[in-house]
Amino acid sequence: MSTRLALSRAYPYGVPVFAAALADPEFHRVKLDVDGSGRIDVVAFDRASPADGAQRVRVVLRQPVPPGQVPAVVERLLSGVLVIERTEEWRLTPERCQGRAYVAVPGTPISAEGTMSVVGEGTGDGAGEGSRLSVDLDVTAAIPLLGGGIERAVVTGIRGLTGTEHERISDWLDRAGRAG
């Protein structure tokens, strides 16, 4: 069993600005640094431009979760600091960005997997007025009897962090939009 998390946010910049951000390893580090500690590690970053014209990006990040932001039910499973390992694989074009996310929490039976997309809003060509980032994840805690409660606590925790992540993405896109 798993618990679904679906999130969607609008941004005032078109898909090309978002695609350029997703092609930058520093963007991925900054967007997840919700507590401003700078403790997010980009473990791996690969970028390729195959013949189809779409850019491919794969980024692996390691993110310690600040104390006090770990749900109590999850904290009981830990012997130390909660660390999230997140892999994102993106296919980027000026019209649309499509991705997959894989999340693991080492030392726990908690994981997540799902899809991400950035599509244009406005003119329909992706380059217009704005864009929308959508994330659809299935969170799984493979623990008999307690799994559903842990999954709901993790989803609630993620929802609590998305506001700050949205601000960090917005700040990055604002700077990129002014520079472009």
Side-chain angles (χ1 to χ4, degrees), residues 42-60:
V42 176
V43 177
F45 186 83
D46 302 303
R47 183 175 33 217
S49 297
D52 69 1
Q55 199 170 89
R56 308 263 192 224
V57 170
R58 180 178 180 273
V59 61
V60 179

Side-chain angles (χ1 to χ4, degrees), residues 59-102:
V59 61
V60 179
L61 302 129
R62 188 167 293 128
Q63 170 185 11
V65 178
Q69 293 185 351
V70 179
V73 69
V74 175
E75 229 170 36
R76 287 183 228 132
L77 298 173
L78 302 173
S79 60
V81 174
L82 177 73
V83 175
I84 298 171
E85 291 182 1
R86 179 169 165 167
T87 301
E88 295 183 14
E89 297 171 347
W90 286 95
R91 180 181 184 276
L92 310 174
T93 70
E95 298 81 31
R96 180 180 186 90
C97 303
Q98 292 178 260
R100 298 239 3 121
Y102 307 93

Side-chain angles (χ1 to χ4, degrees), residues 24-42:
D24 186 330
E26 185 65 7
F27 169 78
H28 294 276
R29 192 192 65 71
V30 166
K31 78 177 179 179
L32 293 181
D33 192 13
V34 296
D35 68 347
S37 68
R39 296 181 300 152
I40 309 300
D41 292 322
V42 176

Side-chain angles (χ1 to χ4, degrees), residues 7 14 25 36 61 68 82 105 121 126 139 176:
L7 301 167
L61 302 129
L82 177 73
V105 183
E121 290 191 328
V139 177

